[in-house]
Amino acid sequence: MWLSWKLLLFLSLTGCLSEYSEAVPGVPTSYAAILRIKSGSSSLASFNSKNRPRLSSPSLGSVSSPGWRGAAQHYHSPTNLYHFSETFKNDESVDYGPVFVQEPDDMIFPTDSEEKKVSLNCQARGNPTPTYRWLRNGTEIDVESDYRFSLIEGSLIINNPSEMKDSGQYQCLTTNMFGSILSREAILQFAYLGNFSGRTRSAVSVREGQGVVLMCSPPLHSPEIIYSWVFNEFPSFVAEDSRRFISQETGNLYISKVQTSDVGSYICLVKNTVTNARVLSPPTPLTLRNDGVMGEYEPKIEVHFPYTVTAARGTTVRMECFALGNPVPTISWRKVNGHNPSKARLRKSQAVLEIPNVQLEDSGIYECKAENSRGRNVFRGQLQVYTYPHWMEKLNDTQLDSGDQLRWECKATGKPKPTYRWLKNGVPLWPQSRIEMINGVLMIHSVNVSDAGMYQCLAENKYGTIYASAELKILASAPTFPLNQMKKTIIVTKGQEVVIECKPQASPKPTITWKKGDKVLRENKRITILPHGSLRILNASKSDEGRYLCQGVNVFGSAEIVASVSVKEPTRIELTPKKIELTVGESIVLSCKALHDNTLDVTFYWTHNGQPIDFEKEGGHFESIKAQASSADLMIRNILLMHAGRYGCRVQTAADTVSDETELLVRVPDLISGDMESAMAVELNPWVEYEFRVVATNKIGTGDPSAPSRVIRTNEAVPKTPPANVSGRSGRRHELVIAWEPVSEEFQSGEGFGYIVAFRPNGTRGWKEKMVTSSDASKFIYRDESVPPLTPFEVKVGVYNNKGDGPFSPIVVICSAEGEPTAAPIDVKATSLSVSEILVAWKHIKESLGRPQGFEVDYWKDMQQEEAAEKVKTEGNESSILLTGLEGNTLYHLTVRAYNAAGYGPPSTAVHAATKKSPPSQPPGNIMWIQDGSHVSLGWEPVRPLANESDVMGYKVLFRQEGQSNSQVIETQKTSAVVLLPDVGVYIIEVCAVSEGGDGTASPQIRVPSFSGGKVTSAQSTLHVLSTSSSSVTLLLALMVPSTSW
């Protein structure tokens, strides 16, 4: 990127002087060159054109269903849903209901297993951490009472499992404070293979040419077994061909046409697919009869697939068909009213039709045909392909205000079409007066707290069930205001817009009313109550000053906040001079004066070309001079060409901010002879746009400059200026953060400008280099998990552009980041001090990594979630903080954690403290007093606090001279006191109760004159006047009676 600059060579020829700069005859004319930044001119060239390397740094669902089998329930539609994001559920500070991470799967347990235990896995996450229970066939398992059962992090372990006791359907039920969810069903089966009956099998005798079926009659087994036959002796197996077929459905051996070579002994061998156990049947002898040879006959289909074959989509279907006959029949297959699937394969001499990855379009009627020269035989059956339910639309966690309407819809596909059921906290949900269920839609009208919990939608067909879960949170609370909205003072200037924030946290949404003073505010063209409750005032004037009260009300209660608005005169600014032309080496003072409301403090800020001036890093050229409260001067000494540009003064008050700019042009001091018509500007920066102007000067003065020349750009060159102030910054653990001041655009010297960051551990030799391709970059972060905290590195930062590599900065030593604090504060204590104050104290483990810059205290009310916590920070090594502005008689939870520039450490264990009850609201009553010279004896009735107020611990008597603001205090635990009035005059006396919640309401004021002489008695009576604010006004009627005794 390169910046456009303009060199204004103010060269004016004598004959071209304007009427304002006419040369005096006989006086030689000379010329000067002036340099300034071209306003608004910056060209963006393409980046990164240099050809060099740039291094830069569970789904729910399964085939299962719960133990209850009610009819599918049906329901209606939703509004106003606020969804929790899944990222939210990865935040450990957020509370949420259980979510399955792992659900149990179907399991087959071999009875001969050496392990002798079954593990059904179940894992869920949630905050608080969920607990687990297990159901078998819909009945809860009592893990405590049966030693064979144990739970390990949610998984169910069954020791010495038994088919009789333990086979069945299992489900995991996980629970936390927000509710329960039920897992999919997992079927536990036991794998075994029994023995054949030892009874001798009778010989089978047939004629030659006749067909025969040899029965296997397998033993008891689970699950499937594979059949094969042994001829005469093991391992001589019967080979299947067009004449011999072993059915994997029946296990029988079929020989369509017996030959003399078939005579012998046949043994059925079965193998368990899980245990691989094998057993052999007793032999079945096959003999030939001697009464002749069997003649030819037509095929007879002896084994075939069922009339209806069902298969899940994506599985492999195998259909068998085999016939006896003489001659040996030929088997053929076809799909009736269609073509055989192209992927279909014929196995075992065409006796088996196999269709892999079966799909819905493969459904239909299939025909098996057996034929020979004597005839044919046909069998037809239907293939039906089904699909398990599959979610198209799941549920989302939802948060509603009390009284809102919930509408959840879950959609699933499947064949047959799925039906839907709903669970709440793992128990079936049934229609009620407020609850409707129709076709996967659940609607709950006017939700309340009892509706909160974990819900599950079940979509099921005859082949399986899938589960979708969601949490429903119901918000029901009286309005409360966060501390950052309490007791605000808003200062604006005339004509500005005022927005007074009023956003109470409440559910349901509160009704908002505004008052100014004691009067309800009426909306008009200038004053509007915004949709979220805040008040907006347009074109503010003095009449808008005052005290504003916002009240939020719902069915659970109300709350209010107060804000004061102050309207001031707008600030104006005067920056002089407006435009300056100076020669290199001269100095100038820019003056900035603010005309502002005299009740406001002002702060001045100076900028150069839009960037704040750093008075400590500008080589002494800049100095800020503040002579008066309402003005500030900028001194620029020994001006250089680089100081040309726009200078801004910004004035800031509590009510507004205003700014102004002036332009400084800097001339080159060299003069050019008046008889010259050309000049050469040298030592310009590469790859910068310049324009030139010419001005004539003589002893009398300087004329106006010429019009600017065309823009000329200097050629590119290798950069010569490395970054300045290379240093380290705070970062996370295992990070090395390197920072520098970016090279300004006028010194980048060409396109493709970037930085080369080189670093190496202190004391090593080889440099590691990384390219930073952005010319604006001021930081590079190197992360290496193997780098310990506070490891010293030697670091240097160089520059490059398309022309080549420039110089590196001087080597500095920077340490890797210490990282965020690793230890939580300990010994956290919270002590209630008053109705609105809690003192929090803690200790920090100094040996832990990550030194803290301060501590953050999070606190929230007992009925709130931790994410709603207010936060307050300390700085430095503070080990305590006083929380103020709290609600009275309220339990608060508090945590403390350390922080530094790298981030936050872990929070401490939460501690708890309750603020004191409010002080008594009733003042002391029936006050009696008697005066004896400068002594006043007082008596009153005791204060009886209300149930929600603090107990009375004593009383305070406050007295002061009329016209004074500071009161003297006498404390007593009695209902009487003697006050000494030291000086002559009228005294104001008040009495109030003292409690641990603070001082109670003071009594009406008593005016007592102090003088020497006789006694004065007084009886006080009270007159209660009901006001619009439901408070009472107490009038003190004092009867002055001179006497010597009471």
Side-chain angles (χ1 to χ4, degrees):
M1 185 184 299
W2 48 266
L3 174 69
S4 302
W5 286 65
K6 289 187 177 179
L7 179 66
L8 311 178
L9 278 176
F10 287 69
L11 299 171
S12 284
L13 298 179
T14 307
C16 302
L17 294 177
S18 70
E19 61 200 81
Y20 299 104
S21 58
E22 189 170 339
V24 177
V27 179
T29 303
S30 59
Y31 305 94
I34 299 175
L35 174 70
R36 71 173 174 86
I37 297 178
K38 179 179 176 183
S39 173
S41 149
S42 81
S43 302
L44 297 175
S46 62
F47 268 65
N48 304 335
S49 55
K50 186 172 182 182
N51 186 17
R52 63 182 293 169
R54 306 286 193 223
L55 301 178
S56 54
S57 356
S59 133
L60 292 175
S62 118
V63 184
S64 59
S65 58
W68 43 81
R69 295 287 179 187
Q73 305 303 319
H74 305 293
Y75 307 58
H76 253 61
S77 353
T79 56
N80 263 353
L81 299 185
Y82 308 98
H83 301 314
F84 305 142
S85 98
E86 197 61 28
T87 327
F88 222 46
K89 290 194 169 179
N90 291 325
D91 184 351
E92 293 183 358
S93 67
V94 176
D95 289 342
Y96 59 93
V99 179
F100 279 118
V101 175
Q102 184 179 19
E103 295 183 72
D105 292 312
D106 291 344
M107 176 169 287
I108 301 175
F109 179 76
T111 55
D112 58 356
S113 170
E114 295 181 358
E115 193 170 357
K116 298 302 180 187
K117 69 178 180 180
V118 170
S119 178
L120 294 170
N121 296 324
C122 182
Q123 184 184 354
R125 55 188 171 89
N127 200 4
T129 302
T131 58
Y132 301 88
R133 290 179 288 158
W134 281 83
L135 309 178
R136 175 177 175 263
N137 298 331
T139 302
E140 184 173 348
I141 298 172
D142 189 350
V143 177
E144 299 296 330
S145 64
D146 192 335
Y147 74 93
R148 297 186 311 112
F149 294 106
S150 58
L151 278 179
I152 298 179
E153 295 183 348
S155 295
L156 178 67
I157 310 300
I158 308 174
N159 292 295
N160 299 315
S162 159
E163 181 184 14
M164 183 70 68
K165 295 179 180 179
D166 301 318
S167 62
Q169 298 170 333
Y170 286 79
Q171 286 179 284
C172 171
L173 184 71
T174 180
T175 304
N176 69 7
M177 62 182 288
F178 296 106
S180 305
I181 54 174
L182 194 65
S183 74
R184 64 192 177 205
E185 285 186 349
I187 298 175
L188 174 60
Q189 291 177 269
F190 287 77
Y192 59 89
L193 179 60
N195 288 314
F196 283 94
S197 168
R199 211 172 40 214
T200 302
R201 298 193 174 191
S202 303
V204 176
S205 184
V206 295
R207 292 178 183 160
E208 184 180 352
Q210 187 179 353
V212 69
V213 178
L214 301 181
M215 311 296 288
C216 179
S217 302
L220 294 176
H221 60 272
S222 175
E224 298 83 8
I225 55 178
I226 298 173
Y227 299 92
S228 57
W229 283 80
V230 176
F231 182 54
N232 287 331
E233 61 181 15
F234 187 86
S236 175
F237 289 96
V238 173
E240 296 180 87
D241 52 25
S242 60
R243 196 171 60 83
R244 290 170 295 191
F245 176 71
I246 300 171
S247 171
Q248 294 302 319
E249 298 295 332
T250 66
N252 300 333
L253 170 61
Y254 300 85
I255 303 176
S256 63
K257 177 186 173 184
V258 174
Q259 300 175 352
T260 55
S261 60
D262 297 322
V263 173
S265 179
Y266 289 83
I267 301 169
C268 181
L269 184 149
V270 295
K271 175 185 174 183
N272 190 297
T273 55
V274 173
T275 66
N276 288 325
R278 303 182 185 190
V279 292
L280 297 167
S281 71
T284 301
L286 177 62
T287 62
L288 288 181
R289 290 166 55 177
N290 53 13
D291 55 353
V293 176
M294 184 73 175
E296 294 183 352
Y297 62 96
E298 64 182 15
K300 177 188 177 185
I301 295 179
E302 193 67 34
V303 59
H304 58 74
F305 55 97
Y307 288 100
T308 302
V309 177
T310 57
R313 183 174 62 182
T315 60
T316 296
V317 175
R318 294 179 180 86
M319 294 184 281
E320 296 181 345
C321 183
F322 189 78
L324 308 183
N326 186 6
V328 174
T330 300
I331 307 296
S332 60
W333 295 82
R334 74 183 184 97
K335 183 180 180 183
V336 180
N337 298 325
H339 298 287
N340 285 350
S342 58
K343 59 193 171 187
R345 299 291 182 265
L346 294 175
R347 308 291 187 195
K348 297 190 176 183
S349 300
Q350 305 190 120
V352 176
L353 174 65
E354 183 178 277
I355 307 175
N357 190 25
V358 68
Q359 299 297 315
L360 295 176
E361 58 268 22
D362 298 326
S363 301
I365 297 174
Y366 286 80
E367 178 186 276
C368 158
K369 182 172 65 175
E371 58 183 337
N372 61 13
S373 57
R374 304 298 296 178
R376 67 176 184 171
N377 200 347
V378 173
F379 175 82
R380 287 183 176 181
Q382 186 171 29
L383 172 61
Q384 294 179 348
V385 180
Y386 65 86
T387 60
Y388 297 107
H390 176 75
W391 288 122
M392 297 177 62
E393 188 172 326
K394 292 186 184 180
L395 308 178
N396 287 308
D397 290 339
T398 300
Q399 177 174 291
L400 294 178
D401 288 335
S402 179
D404 282 353
Q405 176 177 278
L406 169 73
R407 184 183 186 276
W408 262 330
E409 182 174 8
C410 54
K411 290 182 180 178
T413 59
K415 185 178 181 181
K417 184 178 179 181
T419 57
Y420 301 91
R421 294 185 292 120
W422 290 84
L423 311 179
K424 179 187 177 186
N425 294 328
V427 177
L429 185 66
W430 307 109
Q432 300 173 21
S433 58
R434 294 183 301 110
I435 301 176
E436 299 177 59
M437 293 176 267
I438 298 177
N439 293 334
V441 175
L442 169 65
M443 180 181 290
I444 304 179
H445 301 279
S446 188
V447 297
N448 57 47
V449 176
S450 68
D451 296 315
M454 299 300 302
Y455 288 77
Q456 289 177 280
C457 177
L458 279 63
E460 60 188 349
N461 61 19
K462 62 187 292 186
Y463 300 106
T465 303
I466 55 176
Y467 292 65
S469 304
E471 180 181 348
L472 174 62
K473 284 188 176 179
I474 305 300
L475 306 177
S477 61
T480 59
F481 287 93
L483 289 180
N484 60 6
Q485 292 185 34
M486 306 290 280
K487 298 179 182 177
K488 278 192 173 180
T489 298
I490 299 172
I491 303 175
V492 296
T493 59
K494 288 181 180 178
Q496 279 189 324
E497 175 183 301
V498 183
V499 176
I500 308 175
E501 193 172 16
C502 179
K503 298 177 181 177
Q505 299 168 347
S507 179
K509 185 177 179 181
T511 302
I512 302 294
T513 55
W514 280 91
K515 289 183 180 179
K516 182 184 178 187
D518 295 329
K519 294 183 179 180
V520 176
L521 267 182
R522 305 291 181 189
E523 293 190 80
N524 53 39
K525 291 183 179 179
R526 270 195 333 111
I527 300 175
T528 308
I529 299 176
L530 300 175
H532 52 68
S534 297
L535 181 69
R536 182 175 64 191
I537 304 173
L538 301 176
N539 193 22
S541 65
K542 279 286 185 181
S543 64
D544 296 315
E545 287 189 323
R547 177 178 177 272
Y548 290 80
L549 181 144
C550 172
Q551 184 180 51
V553 179
N554 69 8
V555 294
F556 296 106
S558 64
E560 58 187 36
I561 56 169
V562 175
S564 296
V565 174
S566 181
V567 181
K568 306 294 184 181
E569 292 294 330
T571 305
R572 289 181 290 123
I573 188 172
E574 293 180 357
L575 178 60
T576 56
K578 278 298 179 188
K579 188 172 183 180
I580 321 105
E581 294 181 6
L582 295 174
T583 303
V584 170
E586 293 182 335
S587 299
I588 185 69
V589 174
L590 303 181
S591 179
C592 185
K593 183 178 181 181
L595 305 175
H596 62 96
D597 193 297
N598 57 14
T599 63
L600 297 176
D601 294 329
V602 294
T603 306
F604 293 85
Y605 301 91
W606 289 95
T607 61
H608 179 210
N609 294 328
Q611 298 299 315
I613 294 175
D614 189 336
F615 290 96
E616 296 181 359
K617 295 184 179 181
E618 294 294 344
H621 291 284
F622 295 102
E623 181 183 354
S624 177
I625 304 171
K626 199 163 188 299
Q628 301 176 358
S630 298
S631 66
D633 295 338
L634 175 64
M635 166 74 79
I636 312 175
R637 294 189 180 90
N638 190 21
I639 289 174
L640 304 176
L641 288 177
M642 62 184 291
H643 295 144
R646 294 173 289 107
Y647 285 83
C649 175
R650 177 164 58 91
V651 176
Q652 186 169 319
T653 70
D656 60 353
T657 301
V658 292
S659 60
D660 195 8
E661 283 191 342
T662 186
E663 187 172 21
L664 172 62
L665 306 179
V666 181
R667 293 185 293 216
V668 178
D670 296 333
L671 297 179
I672 302 168
S673 171
D675 57 0
M676 294 182 64
E677 296 184 357
S678 65
M680 177 177 291
V682 296
E683 296 184 1
L684 304 180
N685 287 332
W687 197 240
V688 174
E689 268 193 352
Y690 293 92
E691 66 178 16
F692 300 87
R693 301 171 75 182
V694 181
V695 64
T697 183
N698 60 20
K699 291 181 179 179
I700 305 302
T702 301
D704 282 348
S706 67
S709 71
R710 65 181 178 85
V711 175
I712 299 174
R713 187 174 66 198
T714 53
N715 294 330
E716 291 183 276
V718 173
K720 296 180 179 179
T721 305
N725 295 324
V726 177
S727 60
R729 292 287 187 271
S730 297
R732 296 192 175 277
R733 202 176 319 281
H734 309 301
E735 288 182 349
L736 175 66
V737 182
I738 303 167
W740 60 87
E741 287 185 10
V743 175
S744 58
E745 296 174 10
E746 65 267 30
F747 297 114
Q748 292 176 6
S749 302
E751 290 187 302
F753 183 84
Y755 301 94
I756 306 169
V757 182
F759 51 93
R760 64 186 179 190
N762 210 356
T764 60
R765 300 189 66 178
W767 291 94
K768 184 185 288 286
E769 290 190 355
K770 298 288 184 180
M771 309 296 297
V772 179
T773 59
S774 170
S775 61
D776 297 326
S778 61
K779 184 170 69 174
F780 172 77
I781 299 175
Y782 171 70
R783 181 170 181 82
D784 186 342
E785 296 290 339
S786 65
V787 174
L790 301 177
T791 300
F793 281 80
E794 291 183 310
V795 176
K796 59 183 180 179
V797 181
V799 291
Y800 72 88
N801 63 16
N802 286 351
K803 286 293 185 179
D805 293 349
F808 279 92
S809 66
I811 295 174
V812 297
V813 176
I814 296 173
C815 289
S816 62
E818 185 175 15
E820 67 276 5
T822 57
I826 60 173
D827 292 343
V828 179
K829 294 181 175 61
T831 306
S832 176
L833 299 184
S834 70
V835 67
S836 62
E837 296 174 321
I838 292 177
L839 177 66
V840 185
W842 60 88
K843 295 179 182 176
H844 182 66
I845 304 174
K846 294 182 179 179
E847 292 74 21
S848 66
L849 293 175
R851 290 168 295 183
Q853 293 178 355
F855 296 88
E856 180 185 85
V857 178
D858 292 10
Y859 58 98
W860 65 97
K861 289 185 284 189
D862 187 44
M863 297 303 291
Q864 291 180 324
Q865 301 297 326
E866 188 174 351
E867 59 263 24
E870 300 289 339
K871 303 176 189 298
V872 61
K873 287 184 176 180
T874 70
E875 293 185 358
N877 293 321
E878 294 288 338
S879 60
S880 65
I881 189 171
L882 182 64
L883 302 180
T884 60
L886 307 178
E887 287 189 21
N889 194 24
T890 301
L891 178 63
Y892 282 87
H893 304 279
L894 310 98
T895 61
V896 185
R897 58 178 176 171
Y899 71 88
N900 58 23
Y904 289 89
S908 66
T909 303
V911 295
H912 321 286
T915 49
K916 308 294 186 185
K917 292 183 179 180
S918 301
S921 58
Q922 296 299 317
N926 292 330
I927 297 178
M928 301 286 291
W929 57 270
I930 186 170
Q931 183 174 2
D932 183 4
S934 60
H935 290 79
V936 177
S937 298
L938 295 160
W940 57 87
E941 289 184 354
V943 173
R944 311 264 185 231
L946 302 176
N948 62 344
E949 295 176 344
S950 296
D951 292 336
V952 175
M953 301 168 61
Y955 297 90
K956 283 182 181 179
V957 180
L958 299 92
F959 62 98
R960 58 182 170 83
Q961 269 193 310
E962 191 171 44
Q964 300 293 321
S965 58
N966 295 327
S967 295
Q968 298 182 57
V969 179
I970 296 175
E971 296 191 10
T972 178
Q973 293 184 338
K974 302 177 181 179
T975 56
S976 62
V978 177
V979 179
L980 173 63
L981 308 180
D983 299 319
V984 175
V986 177
Y987 279 81
I988 308 297
I989 301 177
E990 298 171 290
V991 183
C992 68
V994 177
S995 73
E996 67 175 8
D999 293 346
T1001 304
S1003 67
Q1005 294 179 351
I1006 303 171
R1007 294 168 53 84
V1008 179
S1010 174
F1011 54 91
S1012 58
K1015 295 186 178 180
V1016 180
T1017 63
S1018 154
Q1020 173 179 299
S1021 62
T1022 56
L1023 172 64
H1024 296 281
V1025 180
L1026 188 64
S1027 72
T1028 54
S1029 62
S1030 300
S1031 64
S1032 60
V1033 177
T1034 303
L1035 302 181
L1036 176 65
L1037 306 178
L1039 175 63
M1040 310 296 290
V1041 182
S1043 65
T1044 58
S1045 65
W1046 187 3

